[in-house]
Amino acid sequence: MESTKRKKGFSKGFWMCGCTEIFERLAYYLGRSLILIFVTASVATGGLGLSDTTGATMQSMLTAFAYLGPLVGGVIADRYIGGRYTTPIGMIIVGIGYFCGSMAKDATMVYVMIICVSAGLGLFKTGAMIGRIVTDKEQLDSAFSIRYTLVNTGAFIGTFLVGILYKDVFAHNGVLGFSPCFKLAAASMFLGAIWFTFGTRYMGDVGKKPFKLEKTAEELEEDKHKKEKGQSTEANAPLTVIEKKRIAAIFLVSGFSIIFWIFWNLAYLPVYYYWTENMNWVVAGYEIPTTWFDAANSFFCVVLGPLTAMLWAKLAARPQGDMSLFRKTGFGLAILGCSYIFFAVLDIARGGEQISVLWLIIFAFILTMGEMFFSPLGHAFISKYSPSRYLSTMMAVWGIATFVASLCYGPLYGLTFEGGFKFSSVCIGIAIVAVVSAVILFLLDKKLSKLVEDDAE
């Protein structure tokens, strides 16, 4: 297994694996952003002419099942086929899905696209592979923050370009360029599969075998002690007490992840609905595409990724040791709550008048700051503490939280923002729930930390 404990950063294998995310996220966010517009645009302009509800449902399904698929794919990568083989196959399947979307003339082909994308992403295992390419636990928080920057480089390109491409570059005679955009997403996936396949030469032996056979140094040391005691070291041996505790900790953190991602996804809907009516979207004579809000989030992720990586590295180097994941993610939830407070203040301060869309830049920054304290660290935490035989599956458990959140935020929007309540009051209520969740994480920090600490260490 290739070591990345180097004075001058991470290995070439890390960068080749991480940069694969750029191709995948470019395609995903291009397609995800476009589906809302494509499904609801009139047939005369190249759309399907379906209802807003149908468009929202389709986007929700794409988001949700893109995070459910990895659970099945996780079992395959953990037990049967190495991640370096499942990943390019998955990317090709996703690319086929986006190509089906480019040919859609009705809802059927859109659903085919959703199925292919979900199935293909289930086999996409770059995150789990990074968790084994980087062998130094103290580097993992920084590594996954850098990975998050790479992820959002692709997301930024996809969400920024799609707003220009479909309505300006690819539009012709009143017909919007939906089909070429979906083909571009497909091409990105096919190119990404080629990039990853080429890059595996720099990844050592990582991903050649199922994850259950790629043990960490800690697990190898534990196997040594087991052999001395005459205990089994086979991959199907019963879980140890510490392994059970660590799996429990992963599930607990994933529970808080559901809360985070419900509120994070929910924050987007007022931008597309409430603020489109109550903000002036024209800046310097140009009407800003709504998808550029997604691009702003991705841009700030790119900027903040290296900064948070340096922060985690500095904290890990302290004499007293690193800050726990539970405190870090608690800060993430609290910052997310602050973003809703900002929404409430904006709504109260505008006094019923339209305000500039530029205010959304500040909101996007606060929202992204909360995201950077939360999302990348989940995968780092799982890479540190998940038993190797369940690594990809535990990664999928983190994704299942996003799946549940994706199914919940739409109906929650109807009950809250569309439920007859004052906009600012709903925002304040959500902020209170987020901050209370953060306080709970802080109060339970010591007890939760004990779940992952090996008393023998």
Side-chain angles (χ1 to χ4, degrees), residues 204-219:
D205 292 330
V206 173
K208 286 185 176 180
K209 301 176 182 178
F211 288 114
K212 71 177 183 179
L213 300 178
E214 292 187 351
K215 296 187 177 183
T216 64
E218 180 184 353
E219 288 172 325

Side-chain angles (χ1 to χ4, degrees), residues 42-92:
S42 66
V43 175
T45 60
L48 299 184
L50 303 177
S51 68
D52 291 351
T53 301
T54 302
T57 300
M58 286 181 170
Q59 192 206 50
S60 177
M61 290 179 65
L62 177 65
T63 304
F65 288 104
Y67 287 96
L68 180 64
L71 184 61
V72 177
V75 175
I76 294 173
D78 283 339
R79 295 179 177 274
Y80 305 111
I81 306 173
R84 72 164 57 192
Y85 307 116
T86 64
T87 295
I89 293 172
M91 296 184 79
I92 291 171

Side-chain angles (χ1 to χ4, degrees), residues 418-440:
E418 293 292 319
F421 301 103
K422 192 175 180 180
F423 181 83
S424 58
S425 298
V426 173
C427 290
I428 292 171
I430 292 172
I432 290 172
V433 175
V435 171
V436 169
S437 299
V439 171
I440 292 173

Side-chain angles (χ1 to χ4, degrees), residues 25-337:
R25 289 290 95 175
L26 188 159
Y28 176 76
Y29 277 98
L30 190 154
R32 183 180 182 275
S33 299
L34 195 63
I35 196 171
L36 277 177
I37 306 166
F38 169 60
V39 170
T40 59
S42 66
V43 175
T45 60
L48 299 184
L50 303 177
S51 68
D52 291 351
T53 301
T54 302
T57 300
M58 286 181 170
Q59 192 206 50
S60 177
M61 290 179 65
L62 177 65
T63 304
F65 288 104
Y67 287 96
L68 180 64
L71 184 61
V72 177
V75 175
I76 294 173
D78 283 339
R79 295 179 177 274
Y80 305 111
I81 306 173
R84 72 164 57 192
Y85 307 116
T86 64
T87 295
I89 293 172
M91 296 184 79
I92 291 171
I93 295 172
V94 173
I96 292 171
Y98 288 129
F99 189 78
C100 290
S102 74
M103 298 187 295
K105 300 298 181 183
D106 54 31
T108 301
M109 287 301 283
V110 177
Y111 286 119
V112 171
M113 178 182 75
I114 292 171
I115 292 170
C116 288
V117 170
S118 302
L121 290 182
L123 299 172
F124 188 76
K125 297 302 172 189
T126 53
M129 287 187 64
I130 286 174
R132 288 298 175 261
I133 291 173
V134 179
T135 57
D136 183 358
K137 282 187 177 183
E138 292 186 356
Q139 286 189 313
L140 280 171
D141 284 355
S142 295
F144 277 95
S145 291
I146 294 296
R147 178 217 179 199
Y148 214 66
T149 290
L150 299 173
V151 163
N152 282 281
T153 297
F156 172 74
I157 296 171
T159 52
F160 182 82
L161 283 181
V162 70
I164 301 173
L165 293 177
Y166 89 88
K167 73 183 188 71
D168 295 324
V169 178
F170 293 143
H172 183 68
N173 293 333
V175 178
L176 298 171
F178 299 119
S179 180
C181 284
F182 282 120
K183 288 178 181 176
L184 179 61
S188 181
M189 294 305 298
F190 297 143
L191 288 172
I194 295 171
W195 167 274
F196 177 84
T197 302
F198 172 80
T200 55
R201 68 180 64 188
Y202 302 108
M203 300 176 196
D205 292 330
V206 173
K208 286 185 176 180
K209 301 176 182 178
F211 288 114
K212 71 177 183 179
L213 300 178
E214 292 187 351
K215 296 187 177 183
T216 64
E218 180 184 353
E219 288 172 325
L220 291 173
E221 184 65 24
E222 185 178 333
D223 284 351
K224 181 180 177 181
H225 292 310
K226 284 183 177 179
K227 287 180 180 179
E228 292 174 353
K229 297 177 181 179
Q231 297 175 348
S232 173
T233 60
E234 296 298 321
N236 58 355
L239 290 169
T240 63
V241 173
I242 186 61
E243 286 177 330
K244 291 178 181 178
K245 287 182 178 180
R246 288 174 174 178
I247 288 176
I250 291 171
F251 275 96
L252 282 170
V253 173
S254 297
F256 281 94
S257 180
I258 293 174
I259 298 172
F260 181 89
W261 287 116
I262 286 176
F263 291 160
W264 190 92
N265 282 295
L266 186 64
Y268 270 65
L269 296 184
V271 174
Y272 278 81
Y273 298 125
Y274 185 80
W275 290 119
T276 52
E277 300 294 330
N278 295 295
M279 282 185 170
N280 181 4
W281 288 72
V282 177
V283 177
Y286 180 75
E287 184 174 354
I288 303 297
T290 313
T291 59
W292 280 13
F293 177 76
D294 299 68
N297 167 249
S298 300
F299 172 77
F300 286 129
C301 283
V302 171
V303 172
L304 292 173
L307 297 177
T308 51
M310 287 188 289
L311 175 61
W312 307 145
K314 188 173 182 179
L315 290 175
R318 296 184 307 172
Q320 65 269 42
D322 198 2
M323 182 190 299
S324 75
L325 168 100
F326 308 106
R327 284 183 176 271
K328 291 175 182 177
T329 52
F331 277 118
L333 275 163
I335 295 170
L336 176 63

